[in-house]
Amino acid sequence: MSLELREVVLTYAPHTALECRALDGVSLRVEDGEFVGIMGRTGCGKSTLLQVAAGLMRPAEGTVLVDGEDIYAPGYRRSRLCERMGVLFQYPEKQLFETTVEREVSFALRHTDLTMAERRERVCRALELVGFDYQKVREQSPLGFSGGEKRRLAIAGVLAARPGILLLDEPIAGLDPVGRQEFLALTDRLCGEGVTVLLVSHNADALADHARRIVILENGVLAADGPVEQVFSRREELARWGVSPGQAAECAEQLRTRGEEVPPDVIRYGELLPYLLRMGRRRER
Ligand SMILES: Nc1ncnc2c1ncn2[C@@H]1O[C@H](COP(=O)(O)OP(=O)(O)OP(=O)(O)O)[C@@H](O)[C@H]1O
Ligand SMILES: [Mg+2]
């Protein structure tokens, strides 16, 4: 599914002393099956962008199109949007509220026409995708799970609806390295199956490894939009936008300051290895 924002403006608390123009004329087109990372300093408008894209906050100006249809137009069926768009807010584990895992994960399916058997199948598959055994956990209370496990349950709840677009707001923040890798591998797999992914994160190394394209917001304005290698090699501007290019890119820069010839688009650990080996070999001589 494709997503397009055209000249979107969103203002919180308009005409008050607290007025805040969180999105200021943002235009962005994400094609079917793309994996886009969204970055920017805290308060730049990332969560607001996702909420507007999810149909949760009507912009004061501009349009939001999903598969070419204006989702805020009168007559647009919002229920259809809920079925097609999976949204994971920041710290989703705090939003679990049902009494059993089965009820929690099937929550988004409650207004669909699916039969009980179809629902169960969806819940079972979604739980499997995030690494749970359906039979083992279905009757358990979500509240008894650890923080990381709760987040996986929340993700299963989103996946059960089989969305065509995933809007993920800092889904890996606070996860341990294994949980983070598992989550990103799952996102990759879904993207490989044709799901469009927009992922907000401050983790540039993770985005360098998984996203193809990076969008950076600054004060509600689109500051950069391009291939990950291109955006992450704009070091001076990144510093101005409050974005770190990641530890691998920092390491590449350290090598450059020591006189190594490392191209500016080296931003991943895997790409650094040949340069480190070359340095090592030179030292041995
Ligand atoms: N409900 C609200 N009422 C008023 N202002 C708000 C509201 N929500 C967000 N804002 C303001 O809008 C701006 C954008 O907020 P947003 O939450 O989208 O930023 P963000 O990029 O997601 O930040 P973070 O990285 O901290 O999650 C900020 O200046 C914030 O203070
Ligand atoms: Mg946010």
Side-chain angles (χ1 to χ4, degrees):
M1 288 169 67
S2 68
L3 170 72
E4 186 174 0
L5 276 73
R6 285 189 195 153
E7 295 293 328
V8 165
V9 174
L10 187 123
T11 309
Y12 289 109
H15 316 300
T16 71
L18 298 175
E19 180 169 311
C20 171
R21 213 168 160 90
L23 297 177
D24 195 359
V26 173
S27 294
L28 176 70
R29 185 175 162 82
V30 181
E31 302 297 340
D32 202 14
E34 265 196 288
F35 191 143
V36 179
I38 301 176
M39 302 187 83
R41 75 172 86 243
T42 184
C44 70
K46 305 178 295 294
S47 297
T48 306
L49 176 83
L50 291 198
Q51 288 178 60
V52 169
L56 298 172
M57 280 194 300
R58 176 186 290 277
E61 291 171 36
T63 34
V64 180
L65 305 151
V66 171
D67 273 348
E69 281 185 273
D70 181 349
I71 63 169
Y72 290 103
Y76 182 84
R77 269 181 47 217
R78 287 297 176 81
S79 55
R80 242 177 72 221
L81 194 63
C82 297
E83 288 164 23
R84 300 158 85 199
M85 215 171 234
V87 189
L88 206 60
F89 296 110
Q90 281 179 272
Y91 302 104
E93 59 272 23
K94 292 189 178 148
Q95 293 157 24
L96 303 183
F97 59 94
E98 281 288 3
T99 48
T100 68
V101 165
E102 173 127 44
R103 288 172 67 95
E104 185 68 57
V105 176
S106 63
F107 185 77
L109 307 177
R110 68 200 183 287
H111 294 311
T112 59
D113 300 331
L114 298 172
T115 64
M116 280 301 285
E118 285 167 337
R119 267 179 221 198
R120 197 165 301 138
E121 207 277 312
R122 290 251 194 136
V123 170
C124 177
R125 173 92 183 104
L127 284 167
E128 271 174 21
L129 273 173
V130 299
F132 286 117
D133 179 337
Y134 169 72
Q135 288 302 341
K136 218 160 132 189
V137 297
R138 58 182 287 243
E139 288 300 328
Q140 292 179 16
S141 162
L143 301 180
F145 287 71
S146 75
E149 288 170 336
K150 280 184 189 161
R151 189 166 313 181
R152 276 154 59 201
L153 286 179
I155 296 162
V158 169
L159 297 182
R162 304 215 173 137
I165 299 186
L166 279 176
L167 304 176
L168 307 169
D169 202 349
E170 302 202 27
I172 53 174
L175 289 183
D176 63 32
V178 174
R180 197 157 62 217
Q181 267 323 105
E182 282 175 357
F183 179 83
L184 291 165
L186 171 64
T187 317
D188 274 347
R189 198 154 93 225
L190 293 166
C191 191
E193 290 168 11
V195 176
T196 308
V197 178
L198 273 78
L199 192 154
V200 169
S201 179
H202 292 287
N203 188 327
D205 289 302
L207 289 179
D209 281 336
H210 298 272
R212 299 263 148 72
R213 174 176 163 200
I214 299 290
V215 164
I216 296 182
L217 290 175
E218 191 191 32
N219 282 332
V221 174
L222 202 91
D225 179 4
V228 61
E229 294 81 5
Q230 203 183 82
V231 173
F232 283 169
S233 59
R234 296 164 68 177
R235 296 186 58 80
E236 282 173 22
E237 286 157 294
L238 287 177
R240 214 171 54 234
W241 299 325
V243 172
S244 156
Q247 290 178 7
E250 287 299 346
C251 188
E253 183 60 14
Q254 292 280 328
L255 293 181
R256 274 179 222 115
T257 57
R258 285 170 168 71
E260 287 296 314
E261 281 180 26
V262 184
D265 60 352
V266 169
I267 53 165
R268 303 175 183 91
Y269 282 116
E271 297 161 349
L272 264 180
L273 199 58
Y275 300 96
L276 291 170
L277 289 173
R278 197 173 67 192
M279 259 178 96
R281 273 198 300 272
R282 222 181 298 129
R283 287 233 171 117
E284 279 169 14
R285 270 188 230 134

